[in-house]
Amino acid sequence: MRMDRRHFLTVAIGAVPAITSLTSLKDWVDVPVKHEEQLAVLDAVRQFIKEELQLYIGKDFYTEWKEDPKRKHVILYLSRADRVMLPKEFEETRKGKLPYLTFSANLKKANYYAKVAEKQKGQHALVYQTAGTSSSRINNRLLSYELEAIAFTALHEATHRHIRYHRFGEVPYPIEEAACDLIGNYGLMGFQERYGLLNPLKMDAQLNLHERLHALMNELKDQVDQVVGGKAQDIYERGERELKLLIRQGGKFVKDRYNYPVNNALLLRNTFYAGNYFLLKDLLMKKGDLKSFMDFIISLPKDLEQAKSQIEARIASDS
């Protein structure tokens, strides 16, 4: 029997071709924040993760400031131009590694590599900048987010840490990212039940928006991959219009995650998160227990298709 979100909460708690970059550097600096409230939420989330979810997060999880709290982390994603897929030669060099390149805060270097990929190799590139990584350091941009987004980010990054502590590089990356977003979205309910620090209406709106964005990313990827000859400009333009309408409904976190021109690299990045999200959501809703859900995730085989088969089999057996 499938559970709705309220039923899930009760059971879970009872069970204990454009090259793109962020629009402006000024979005990242001189952010006026009220640290006390934001840091209190981070402290409470850290306690919830340890005591209720029982995830391994280490001793430094959002307890230290980034060396330069105004700097952002820069990541480069690459995709084939004809399909939403890692370029073959790039995929081969990234075997056993994460499917992107990191540049710390070196935006200039990331943009250079992106230009090479586009102009010399005909690939799509996304130069992505983020305030949240599994290094889990406090920074100004993170503290400028809405409280609900701060809590989501902390839960998401905690899930990365737990998975990688137990089986780094062994859980398929698209499964890992989807699980992180699920724990971020649905772990938030248990956190709110215990601490009451968030706005329930904003929580519901955030969850709804996150899942609508995931659905849009999956839809656009499928449409691009079905286009003969890779002529997908109409899909990019329509997708960008729809994406901007959704972005307007969110806050800074949603803008930071999605506010880029649509190309195959953007779709690739986001379908790492969205491609298996709803499959894992079915599993989580049927299990109704965040801890046993996570235990199952870290037991999955390294091969993505085998992992998905095991998930589907578990969902069927729990029906």
Side-chain angles (χ1 to χ4, degrees):
M1 176 180 177
R2 190 184 301 272
M3 290 183 282
D4 62 22
R5 282 185 282 171
R6 299 305 175 191
H7 187 191
F8 167 78
L9 172 60
T10 302
V11 175
I13 295 301
V16 158
I19 297 175
T20 60
S21 60
L22 198 66
T23 53
S24 173
L25 180 62
K26 69 183 180 182
D27 289 340
W28 286 88
V29 299
D30 298 327
V31 180
V33 293
K34 298 177 181 178
H35 288 166
E36 295 82 2
E37 190 175 19
Q38 285 83 355
L39 293 175
V41 166
L42 281 175
D43 286 342
V45 172
R46 186 167 54 248
Q47 184 176 356
F48 174 76
I49 289 166
K50 290 180 177 179
E51 296 180 0
E52 296 291 337
L53 301 185
Q54 299 178 27
L55 302 183
Y56 176 84
I57 55 174
K59 296 180 179 180
D60 63 343
F61 186 77
Y62 287 117
T63 60
E64 301 175 5
W65 282 80
K66 195 172 182 179
E67 184 175 342
D68 182 350
K70 296 180 181 180
R71 302 291 293 275
K72 64 285 183 193
H73 191 72
V74 181
I75 300 173
L76 174 63
Y77 293 89
L78 298 174
S79 173
R80 286 169 44 174
D82 60 334
R83 297 202 61 183
V84 181
M85 181 182 294
L86 287 173
K88 185 176 181 181
E89 66 275 18
F90 183 70
E91 183 176 17
E92 290 175 352
T93 65
R94 302 306 296 172
K95 282 184 178 178
K97 303 175 184 178
L98 296 172
Y100 51 76
L101 296 173
T102 61
F103 293 85
S104 187
N106 195 333
L107 180 60
K108 182 177 180 180
K109 186 175 181 180
N111 278 328
Y112 169 78
Y113 276 87
K115 288 178 182 177
V116 169
E118 183 189 42
K119 294 183 178 181
Q120 296 184 15
K121 301 180 180 181
Q123 298 168 354
H124 286 200
L126 168 68
V127 177
Y128 181 81
Q129 301 182 70
T130 181
T133 70
S134 58
S135 64
S136 305
R137 296 293 186 267
I138 301 168
N139 59 79
N140 282 4
R141 186 61 175 180
L142 175 67
L143 295 182
S144 76
Y145 289 163
E146 303 80 359
L147 296 181
E148 294 73 25
I150 291 173
F152 168 87
T153 300
L155 287 163
H156 177 105
E157 300 304 340
T159 308
H160 275 307
R161 281 206 169 190
H162 182 76
I163 291 173
R164 293 175 185 180
Y165 172 76
H166 288 284
R167 293 187 66 214
F168 181 81
E170 295 296 319
V171 174
Y173 181 70
I175 298 295
E176 179 179 333
E177 288 292 6
C180 289
D181 265 16
L182 275 164
I183 296 297
N185 281 328
Y186 289 92
L188 212 58
M189 296 180 185
F191 171 75
Q192 175 67 4
E193 180 76 2
R194 177 168 175 177
Y195 292 95
L197 296 176
L198 308 178
N199 182 314
L201 293 179
K202 289 183 178 180
M203 284 174 51
D204 284 347
Q206 176 175 271
L207 172 60
N208 179 266
L209 181 57
H210 286 182
E211 294 192 342
R212 289 170 68 193
L213 285 161
H214 280 338
L216 176 61
M217 294 296 104
N218 288 336
E219 176 188 343
L220 293 174
K221 177 191 180 298
D222 289 344
Q223 291 175 355
V224 168
D225 284 347
Q226 291 170 11
V227 172
V228 177
K231 306 295 184 182
Q233 191 58 39
D234 289 346
I235 298 173
Y236 302 143
E237 292 174 0
R238 177 181 58 79
E240 199 163 315
R241 290 193 297 271
E242 294 183 21
L243 184 58
K244 287 185 181 300
L245 288 174
L246 290 175
I247 288 173
R248 288 174 190 166
Q249 300 175 33
K252 291 179 180 178
F253 169 78
V254 167
K255 291 180 175 64
D256 283 354
R257 197 184 238 200
Y258 293 99
N259 195 23
Y260 298 88
V262 174
N263 67 7
N264 288 4
L266 176 82
L267 296 178
L268 179 65
R269 181 202 179 271
N270 284 299
T271 50
F272 285 141
Y273 296 72
N276 297 283
Y277 177 90
F278 295 102
L279 175 66
L280 289 185
K281 180 181 175 181
D282 282 345
L283 176 67
L284 178 58
M285 290 300 161
K286 289 183 177 180
K287 279 188 169 296
D289 178 351
L290 292 167
K291 187 177 185 305
S292 63
F293 170 81
M294 283 303 303
D295 289 343
F296 180 72
I297 293 298
I298 62 175
S299 75
L300 289 169
K302 188 174 183 178
D303 180 81
L304 177 59
E305 293 307 315
Q306 291 179 15
K308 289 169 66 173
S309 293
Q310 287 194 16
I311 295 166
E312 291 164 354
R314 180 61 62 91
I315 291 170
S317 68
D318 289 346
S319 298

